[in-house]
C-alpha cells in the first residue's frame, strides 16, 4: 500500500465504531538469521510459490511480475500488467491470475519457462461487476472446479488512497465469485476492507482477511455448513494483509497452514478515531499522508491451520525491512515482501 498525490482524495463518510483494545505483543527482537534480496521495480505487495514449487513470484510497483530463485535471489521479469499489480495466484490451467488495482482481474498466459527470455500475454478477465469497476482488486483464490473468489478492498477508494477506507471505519469492499462459465456475482458488499483470500485445505470454506476489523473470516461454500460465516481470528494485534494459499508442510509441527502478514501494528489513535465524531476523522483525512499515524518498523506474520487456530507467529526486526504485506513459505523458509521496501526478506521458520 502506497500514497499518491496525483488525484485528489475522495470525500470521507466516517462511521462510528467501538473496537476492543488491541492485545499486547512482545517486543520485537532482531531475527537471529535472515537474508535480504533486492527487488527491481519497486516495493511488492504479494509473494507466492510458483506452480513448479521451486521458484517465487512477486509483483512490483512498476507493474512487473518477477520470477525469483529463492536460493540466490536471481530474478527474471516474466510479465508486465500495465497497471499496479497486487495479489497473485498460479492456477490449475497453468496461467497466472493477477489482481491489478488499476485494471481488475487479469490472466497471464504463455508464461515463459526458466531461462526463456520471452514474457507472458496479459488479458483482462474481469474489469467490472454489477456495473461497478473492479478497481482496487486485491486477491483471488480458486475452487477445485475452477470457480474464482475475488476480493475488492474498496469501491470508494483507489489503491493510492487506501487510508480513506481505513479512516472511515465503514465497509466499502466486495467479495465476488466468477463461475467457470464466466458469470460474475457479487456475493457480499459493504465488507470491511477484504484483502487476502484462500481456499481451505479441505475445500469446504474460504478464509478471508478483513484488514480494518483485524480479523480473518471463514465463509463455508460447500458441505453441510454452506452459507455459514465465522471468525477464527478476531481482535488481532495488527492489520492483516495478504493471505497465502494453504499448503501441507509435511514434517513440520503444524501440517497444513496459511500465513498472513501484518502490514502494520495496531494503532491506538486509529482505533480511537472510530469512537469519535466523524468530523475528527475527516480532519485527519485532510492532512498530508506523512502526518497520519505511521507504522512501527517491525515484521509480524501469523500462521493459522485448517481449523483457523493460530499455530505460529513470527515477529522481529531486520535492517532495511519492515511492515510486511505478503508471505510465502517454501522449504522451511518464510519469504516476505513489504509495501515500504524494494526487497524480499527470507526468514527460516523450522
Amino acid at each position: 500500500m502506497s500514497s499518491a498525490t496525483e488525484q485528489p482524495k475522495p470525500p470521507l463518510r466516517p462511521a462510528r465504531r467501538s473496537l476492543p483494545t488491541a492485545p499486547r505483543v512482545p517486543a520485537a527482537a532482531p531475527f537471529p538469521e535472515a537474508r535480504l534480496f533486492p527487488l527491481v521495480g519497486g516495493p511488492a505487495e504479494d509473494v507466492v510459490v510458483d506452480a513448479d514449487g521451486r521458484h517465487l513470484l512477486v509483483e512490483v510497483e512498476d507493474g512487473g511480475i518477477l520470477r525469483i530463485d529463492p536460493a540466490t535471489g536471481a530474478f527474471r521479469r516474466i510479465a508486465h500488467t500495465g497497471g499496479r499489480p497486487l495479489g497473485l495466484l498460479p492456477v490449475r490451467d497453468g496461467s497466472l491470475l493477477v489482481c491489478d488495482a488499476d485494471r481488475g482481474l487479469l490472466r497471464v498466459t504463455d508464461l515463459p519457462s526458466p531461462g526463456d527470455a520471452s514474457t507472458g500475454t496479459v488479458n483482462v478477465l474481469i474489469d467490472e461487476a454489477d456495473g461497478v469497476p473492479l478497481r482496487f482488486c486485491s486477491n483471488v483464490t480458486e475452487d477445485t472446479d475452477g470457480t474464482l473468489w475475488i476480493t475488492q478492498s474498496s469501491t470508494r477508494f483507489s489503491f493510492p488512497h487506501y487510508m480513506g477506507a481505513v479512516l472511515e471505519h465503514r465497509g466499502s469492499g466486495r467479495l465476488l465469485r466468477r463461475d467457470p462459465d464466466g458469470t460474475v456475482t457479487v456475493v457480499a458488499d459493504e465488507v470491511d476492507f477484504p484483502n487476502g483470500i484462500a481456499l481451505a485445505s479441505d475445500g469446504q470454506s474460504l478464509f478471508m482477511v478483513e484488514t480494518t476489523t483485524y480479523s480473518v473470516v471463514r465463509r463455508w461454500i460447500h458441505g453441510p455448513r454452506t452459507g455459514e460465516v465465522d471468525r477464527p481470528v478476531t481482535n488481532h494485534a495488527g492489520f492483516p494483509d495478504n493471505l497465502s494459499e494453504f499448503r501441507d508442510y509435511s514434517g513440520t509441527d503444524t501440517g497444513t497452514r496459511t500465513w498472513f502478514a501484518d502490514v502494520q501494528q495496531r494503532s491506538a489513535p486509529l482505533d480511537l478515531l472510530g469512537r469519535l465524531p466523524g468530523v475528527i476523522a475527516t480532519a485527519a483525512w485532510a492532512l498530508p499522508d506523512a502526518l497520519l499515524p505511521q507504522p512501527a518498523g517491525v515484521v509480524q506474520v501469523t500462521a493459522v491451520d485448517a481449523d483457523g487456530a493460530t499455530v505460529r507467529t513470527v515477529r522481529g526486526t531486520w535492517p532495511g525491512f519492515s511492515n510486511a504485506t505478503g508471505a510465502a513459505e517454501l522449504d522451511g523458509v518464510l519469504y516476505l515482501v513489504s509495501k515500504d521496501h524494494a526487497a524480499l526478506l527470507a526468514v527460516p521458520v523450522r
Side-chain angles (χ1 to χ4, degrees):
M1 299 178 180
S2 60
S3 302
T5 57
E6 296 87 355
Q7 299 176 352
K9 293 180 177 181
L12 210 66
R13 295 192 289 111
R16 297 184 74 168
R17 181 173 64 182
S18 181
L19 295 166
T21 301
R24 292 182 177 273
V25 294
F31 290 117
E33 55 178 324
R35 293 177 297 161
L36 194 66
F37 300 120
L39 295 176
V40 172
E45 279 279 322
D46 199 15
V47 53
V48 299
V49 178
D50 198 358
D52 65 7
R54 297 183 293 110
H55 293 84
L56 302 170
L57 298 176
V58 167
E59 45 63 50
V60 286
E61 189 174 50
D62 71 357
I65 310 295
L66 309 181
R67 178 187 282 132
I68 299 175
D69 181 340
T72 64
F75 66 89
R76 264 240 327 111
R77 187 179 295 254
I78 62 170
H80 193 286
T81 71
R84 178 52 174 106
L86 300 177
L88 303 173
L89 181 72
V91 289
R92 291 175 178 82
D93 66 5
S95 65
L96 175 68
L97 298 181
V98 182
C99 292
D100 192 285
D102 300 326
R103 304 186 64 197
L105 181 64
L106 312 180
R107 187 189 298 277
V108 185
T109 57
D110 305 319
L111 289 165
S113 59
D116 185 346
S118 65
T119 57
T121 302
V122 179
N123 291 293
V124 177
L125 196 60
I126 309 173
D127 60 4
E128 63 89 25
D130 284 359
V132 178
L134 187 55
R135 301 295 171 84
F136 210 157
C137 181
S138 186
N139 278 271
V140 60
T141 193
E142 183 185 35
D143 203 342
T144 54
D145 66 352
T147 297
L148 303 179
W149 296 83
I150 307 110
T151 58
Q152 179 177 10
S153 292
S154 177
T155 58
R156 289 190 7 86
F157 297 92
S158 64
F159 172 72
H161 293 310
Y162 75 91
M163 274 302 298
V166 175
L167 291 170
E168 273 202 334
H169 290 284
R170 179 195 303 275
S172 61
R174 301 194 292 180
L175 173 64
L176 312 177
R177 185 186 71 238
R178 183 186 187 273
D179 296 329
D181 66 2
T183 302
V184 178
T185 303
V186 178
V187 177
D189 59 6
E190 298 183 351
V191 184
D192 287 280
F193 213 117
N195 209 325
I197 190 168
L199 182 72
S201 52
D202 63 3
Q204 299 294 294
S205 62
L206 298 170
F207 281 63
M208 183 183 76
V209 164
E210 284 187 4
T211 297
T212 52
T213 62
Y214 317 124
S215 64
V216 177
V217 176
R218 177 169 49 190
R219 178 180 293 268
W220 299 85
I221 58 174
H222 298 301
R225 298 186 63 181
T226 298
E228 293 184 26
V229 177
D230 59 17
R231 291 176 182 265
V233 177
T234 59
N235 195 33
H236 183 61
F239 285 80
D241 202 312
N242 291 304
L243 189 68
S244 71
E245 291 295 297
F246 276 91
R247 295 170 64 89
D248 185 5
Y249 301 98
S250 300
T252 70
D253 56 353
T254 59
T256 302
R257 63 190 179 196
T258 177
W259 290 92
F260 64 85
D262 289 322
V263 64
Q264 67 182 70
Q265 305 300 289
R266 284 277 289 275
S267 166
L270 285 176
D271 282 356
L272 177 62
L273 279 177
R275 300 194 296 270
L276 298 176
V279 65
I280 299 177
T282 300
W285 180 228
L287 294 173
D289 288 348
L291 298 182
L292 294 174
Q294 299 300 307
V298 300
V299 178
Q300 181 168 295
V301 194
T302 302
V304 298
D305 65 15
D307 295 321
T310 297
V311 294
R312 189 76 182 269
T313 298
V314 173
R315 179 177 169 81
T317 61
W318 193 260
F321 192 92
S322 60
N323 310 318
T325 51
E329 184 179 356
L330 181 61
D331 296 333
V333 179
L334 195 60
Y335 296 91
L336 308 173
V337 292
S338 167
K339 71 181 183 66
D340 294 328
H341 306 283
L344 177 74
L345 182 68
V347 181
V349 289
R350 282 187 183 170

